[in-house]
């Protein structure tokens, strides 16, 4: 195997640079949200999750969740929000370095790390939702069966219908990941 067959093309390097930019841009957009609808809230209530903060009508949602014994949504209950943004900036920097080095092996390692990080992130969110929906206070005024809100999809609890959705930041991350995969195909037989 000659040295040039382990080298990424200039075009592939540009795609990887674009992926680094998308990783960085994702920090400024919501990654995930839950929208709650009920007859008394036809406009819906939101919990919007950025990589470093929560937004939306969190106080109203927490007030309603109190009735079923669910603990409060707050940034202090999600320690990931204190460091997730830094991890993404780090991923953007490492992706940029990968583009500059133009070595396939470095790209393979980067893709592996991103896959592991993505899987761990989804599992972490699922575990948090599981904890919120199954650790209900026995002293709650309204007794309901434990439940697990989906990471993506629809759920109904009492008269509330909840939709869990990906935010634009996640789509930027997914697009960046696809851009990292393209050079694997594009440069597969490069001589």
């Amino acid at each position: 195997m000659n040295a040039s067959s382990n080298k990424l093309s200039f075009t592939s390097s540009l795609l990887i640079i674009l992926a680094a930019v998308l990783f960085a841009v994702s920090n400024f957009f919501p990654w995930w949200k839950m929208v709650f609808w009920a007859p008394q809230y036809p406009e819906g209530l939101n919990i919007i999750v950025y990589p470093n903060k929560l937004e939306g009508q969190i106080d109203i949602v927490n007030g309603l969740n109190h009735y079923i014994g669910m603990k409060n949504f707050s940034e202090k209950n999600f320690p990931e929000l204190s460091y997730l943004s830094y991890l993404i900036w780090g991923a953007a920097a490492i992706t940029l370095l990968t583009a500059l080095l133009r070595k396939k092996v470095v790209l393979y390692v980067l893709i592996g790390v991103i896959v592991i990080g993505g899987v761990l992130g989804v599992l972490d969110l699922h575990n948090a939702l599981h904890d919120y929906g199954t650790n209900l206070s026995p002293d709650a005024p309204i007794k309901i069966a434990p439940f697990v809100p989906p990471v993506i999809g629809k759920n109904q609890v009492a008269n509330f219908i909840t939709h869990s959705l990906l935010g634009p930041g996640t789509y930027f991350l997914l697009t960046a990941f696809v851009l990292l995969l393209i050079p694997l195909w594009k440069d597969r037989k490069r001589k």
Side-chain angles (χ1 to χ4, degrees):
M1 177 184 280
N2 61 28
S4 67
S5 67
N6 191 31
K7 199 87 166 155
L8 294 165
S9 69
F10 180 72
T11 305
S12 291
S13 188
L14 290 176
L15 291 172
I16 296 168
I17 289 170
L18 182 56
V21 170
L22 290 175
F23 280 132
V25 167
S26 75
N27 269 309
F28 302 103
F29 291 88
W31 281 17
W32 186 79
K33 73 176 180 175
M34 292 183 83
V35 183
F36 305 83
W37 282 285
Q40 64 271 39
Y41 295 101
E43 71 286 356
L45 300 170
N46 293 311
I47 293 178
I48 303 167
V49 181
Y50 286 79
N52 60 351
K53 64 183 177 180
L54 297 176
E55 287 188 354
Q57 295 86 15
I58 296 170
D59 290 339
I60 297 171
V61 172
N62 283 337
L64 294 167
N65 284 345
H66 162 77
Y67 291 106
I68 62 170
M70 185 181 283
K71 68 181 178 180
N72 284 343
F73 287 101
S74 71
E75 290 177 11
K76 71 179 176 105
N77 289 338
F78 293 96
E80 303 86 349
L81 299 178
S82 67
Y83 62 80
L84 185 56
S85 186
Y86 296 110
L87 290 177
I88 296 304
W89 283 113
I94 293 168
T95 303
L96 184 59
L97 181 62
T98 301
L100 297 175
L101 294 174
R102 293 179 56 196
K103 293 187 177 181
K104 289 181 183 178
V105 68
V106 177
L107 179 59
Y108 295 140
V109 170
L110 175 64
I111 289 170
V113 167
I114 290 171
V115 167
I116 291 167
V119 169
L120 291 175
V122 171
L123 289 174
D124 184 57
L125 177 58
H126 171 75
N127 288 338
L129 293 171
H130 183 274
D131 181 50
Y132 271 91
T134 59
N135 290 324
L136 303 174
S137 170
D139 302 324
I142 300 173
K143 308 291 186 222
I144 64 165
F147 65 99
V148 179
V151 171
I152 300 172
K154 180 180 170 183
N155 188 40
Q156 183 161 359
V157 176
N159 66 338
F160 275 87
I161 296 174
T162 307
H163 290 272
S164 302
L165 310 160
L166 299 178
T170 300
Y171 290 112
F172 285 130
L173 293 174
L174 292 172
T175 303
F177 183 70
V178 170
L179 289 174
L180 293 178
L181 295 178
I182 291 172
L184 298 182
W185 174 81
K186 184 184 163 311
D187 293 348
R188 67 193 180 283
K189 293 184 181 176
R190 189 166 175 265
K191 302 250 189 280

